[in-house]
Amino acid sequence: MKNFVEELTWRGMIHQMMPGTEELLQKEQVTAYLGIDPTADSLHIGHLCGVMMLRHFQRCGHKPLALVGGATGMIGDPSGKSQERNLLNEETLRHNVACIKEQLSRFLDFDSDVPNHAELVNNYDWMKDYTFLDFAREIGKCITVNYMMAKDSVKRRLSGEFQDGMSFTEFTYQLLQGYDFLHLYEAKGCKLQMGGSDQWGNITTGTELIRRKLGSENEAFALTCPLITKADGKKFGKTESGNVWLDRNRTTPYVFYQFWLNVGDEEAEKYIKIFTSLDKETIDALIEEHRQDPGRRILQKRLAEEVTVMVHSKEDLDMAIEASNILFGKSTKESLLKLDENTLLDVFAGVPHFDVDKSLFAEGVKAADLCVDHAQCFASKGEMKTLVKGGGVSVNKDKLAQFDQVLTEADLLDGKYLLVQQGKKKYFLLTAK
């Protein structure tokens, strides 16, 4: 078996680790779990570091458990949060869990018959019939309030740093997460819990609960990865428009690909180790090649390719590259026609948009009338006529032959869009409504 701790160490993916963890992993095949709150029906790239830990764990010969918090998701983890989250109902949680399982299957082997095949577990299954009185008697008595109050996630919320304080519901979260570890220790022989560094307090509550409930000879272990930040120290995975999701309906493969392609050099060196499965020799060679000529952006391109294929597919990567070329390189009308509506809108999100009356196209409209009178693509028909004569105007990537050429509904992309291009890089997107 490959040494899991060594693998994570060179990748920069270990923040804290309990003594004895590496020795345990070298001694036997270990079962470990990592928890994911199903607060949405998709993971986002903020989850990816934890998911990659599970992926490396399985590749090193150990057995990963992905725990979706169907029960704890109804409460909300206070770690690193400034205010209490909205609580989700059971139907929404069930839907979210199913979607997350499908996404995780792109990273983990759930289906083969190897001894270390991955499993998805849901803490709602063992919490739904556990009464409050039983939980208070059997679990609550094992951990003191003093112990719980000493955790950073609790202290920060009670110190006055945040206005709203902390509800009893959230205060119990670390006990519930601790019980998850205890249950999986007994039911699945799970000896290790992994998570982000903000989870250290909750994870160690679990190791303490196992020791106090089952006896000091029962050892459990903890390992966390650092919280990933951008070069400016800001939270990783957030853009101006929000999270970068793994679900193509929330974030198109084109936008996903562009996110990785546009990271800085320092970030690319860090991210290619964390978010790909490339080996050390390959990554070291890529970093060295990139440093020789940063302008070629070798690291960013390889990072974007690897992560896009892993999360989506090779076909989606090819489409993302082709979509990028529409704006930044040579492309044809055929390339434009391949784009689905969401990708088309993402590619041209930054260009001027105009809404025009769809009835114009039913009757046929002259290009000059459309682009000057109904949309302000050109200052005047005279200017447009001059540009057309010089071959400087295209509609849907085809050169416009005449400035008064008639455009009809047949010219509309997806039945409602028209792309007007002036010169090489100036675009206008018209939407027929």
Side-chain angles (χ1 to χ4, degrees):
M1 291 192 299
K2 282 175 72 176
N3 186 312
F4 176 65
V5 172
E6 281 183 7
E7 183 74 14
L8 258 57
T9 300
W10 76 259
R11 291 183 182 275
M13 293 174 71
I14 293 184
H15 182 74
Q16 292 158 296
M17 182 172 64
M18 284 182 73
T21 303
E22 185 170 11
E23 291 77 5
L24 173 75
L25 291 163
Q26 287 294 90
K27 187 174 65 175
E28 61 188 71
Q29 183 188 96
V30 175
T31 299
Y33 91 92
L34 180 136
I36 298 167
D37 267 346
T39 46
D41 60 2
S42 172
L43 302 173
H44 54 74
I45 59 174
H47 292 108
L48 264 186
C49 185
V51 173
M52 292 303 293
M53 286 173 77
L54 289 178
R55 181 178 173 89
H56 291 306
F57 192 71
Q58 186 171 40
R59 290 184 162 204
C60 288
H62 300 290
K63 183 177 175 68
L65 306 177
L67 181 146
V68 287
T72 41
M74 291 180 171
I75 291 174
D77 179 6
S79 302
K81 308 293 190 304
S82 60
Q83 48 186 230
E84 193 157 341
R85 292 195 306 210
N86 294 327
L87 308 185
L88 303 177
N89 61 43
E90 189 179 336
E91 183 183 354
T92 302
L93 283 164
R94 194 179 295 117
H95 166 74
N96 292 356
V97 167
C99 294
I100 289 170
K101 165 80 181 284
E102 189 175 343
Q103 289 182 341
L104 287 172
S105 65
R106 297 195 62 83
F107 299 87
L108 303 171
D109 174 11
F110 286 97
D111 300 321
S112 73
D113 54 3
V114 294
N116 68 324
H117 69 271
E119 289 185 46
L120 188 82
V121 293
N122 184 345
N123 59 16
Y124 183 74
D125 293 337
W126 56 84
M127 289 305 303
K128 64 180 185 291
D129 297 322
Y130 208 163
T131 69
F132 176 76
L133 287 175
D134 287 339
F135 188 82
R137 280 171 56 89
E138 297 169 18
I139 304 303
K141 68 176 184 178
C142 296
I143 301 291
T144 66
V145 170
N146 306 54
Y147 180 88
M148 295 171 72
M149 294 277 285
K151 300 295 183 181
D152 284 342
S153 59
V154 176
K155 282 198 293 189
R156 288 181 69 227
R157 285 289 286 273
L158 296 179
S159 66
E161 185 177 340
F162 302 119
Q163 297 286 325
D164 298 336
M166 186 182 205
S167 69
F168 173 76
T169 303
E170 285 192 308
F171 184 60
T172 60
Y173 188 94
Q174 65 169 290
L175 264 190
L176 290 168
Q177 186 170 329
Y179 179 68
D180 287 342
F181 201 174
L182 172 63
H183 173 84
L184 292 173
Y185 183 91
E186 293 187 290
K188 302 274 186 188
C190 178
K191 295 182 179 178
L192 173 65
Q193 184 182 168
M194 301 188 291
S197 58
D198 61 334
Q199 291 295 308
W200 183 255
N202 291 339
I203 295 173
T204 52
T205 295
T207 63
E208 186 68 9
L209 180 61
I210 289 167
R211 188 181 68 78
R212 294 187 184 184
K213 181 75 175 167
L214 303 178
S216 57
E217 70 280 3
N218 290 274
E219 287 191 293
F221 299 87
L223 186 153
T224 63
C225 61
L227 291 181
I228 311 302
T229 56
K230 295 189 282 190
D232 60 6
K234 292 180 180 176
K235 191 171 182 179
F236 166 77
K238 291 275 189 183
T239 65
E240 288 181 12
S241 56
N243 285 320
V244 178
W245 300 90
L246 307 197
D247 183 344
R248 65 188 307 117
N249 296 314
R250 287 173 174 259
T251 300
T252 61
Y254 164 76
V255 170
F256 188 85
Y257 171 78
Q258 286 291 324
F259 172 84
W260 300 101
L261 194 63
N262 289 315
V263 301
D265 292 344
E266 184 183 331
E267 293 164 330
E269 286 195 19
K270 182 167 71 168
Y271 294 170
I272 201 164
K273 296 174 185 176
I274 296 170
F275 299 113
T276 78
S277 296
L278 296 173
D279 60 39
K280 189 175 189 302
E281 292 70 28
T282 302
I283 289 175
D284 286 346
L286 284 166
I287 290 173
E288 182 58 33
E289 189 179 358
H290 178 85
R291 288 176 178 175
Q292 298 296 324
D293 187 0
R296 291 171 59 201
R297 299 181 71 77
I298 288 168
L299 268 186
Q300 286 91 339
K301 288 175 182 175
R302 186 63 182 273
L303 170 66
E305 289 170 8
E306 292 288 328
V307 185
T308 303
V309 170
M310 182 169 60
V311 170
H312 294 292
S313 68
K314 177 65 166 65
E315 291 72 27
D316 286 317
L317 170 65
D318 293 341
M319 175 59 70
I321 293 172
E322 195 163 359
S324 301
N325 289 335
I326 289 172
L327 262 186
F328 309 119
K330 294 179 180 179
S331 62
T332 62
K333 186 176 182 178
E334 284 65 40
S335 301
L336 205 57
L337 291 170
K338 288 179 187 176
L339 303 184
D340 59 53
E341 183 177 2
N342 288 338
T343 304
L344 176 77
L345 292 174
D346 281 336
V347 170
F348 297 103
V351 310
H353 282 54
F354 299 103
D355 291 340
V356 295
D357 191 333
K358 193 168 187 178
S359 65
L360 292 169
F361 295 90
E363 300 161 8
V365 61
K366 291 179 180 179
D369 293 342
L370 179 70
C371 295
V372 177
D373 297 338
H374 299 280
Q376 293 72 55
C377 303
F378 304 92
S380 68
K381 291 179 183 177
E383 179 197 48
M384 182 176 172
K385 187 174 184 178
T386 303
L387 287 165
V388 170
K389 276 186 177 179
V393 178
S394 298
V395 172
N396 295 341
K397 287 291 179 178
D398 283 343
K399 294 282 186 195
L400 201 61
Q402 301 290 333
F403 88 109
D404 58 354
Q405 181 177 324
V406 175
L407 302 172
T408 68
E409 287 182 343
D411 293 299
L412 295 175
L413 304 168
D414 281 330
K416 60 179 173 181
Y417 299 108
L418 195 78
L419 182 69
V420 178
Q421 183 177 354
Q422 177 186 336
K424 288 186 176 180
K425 294 183 179 179
K426 195 170 183 180
Y427 291 93
F428 307 91
L429 187 65
L430 280 57
T431 305
K433 293 185 174 180

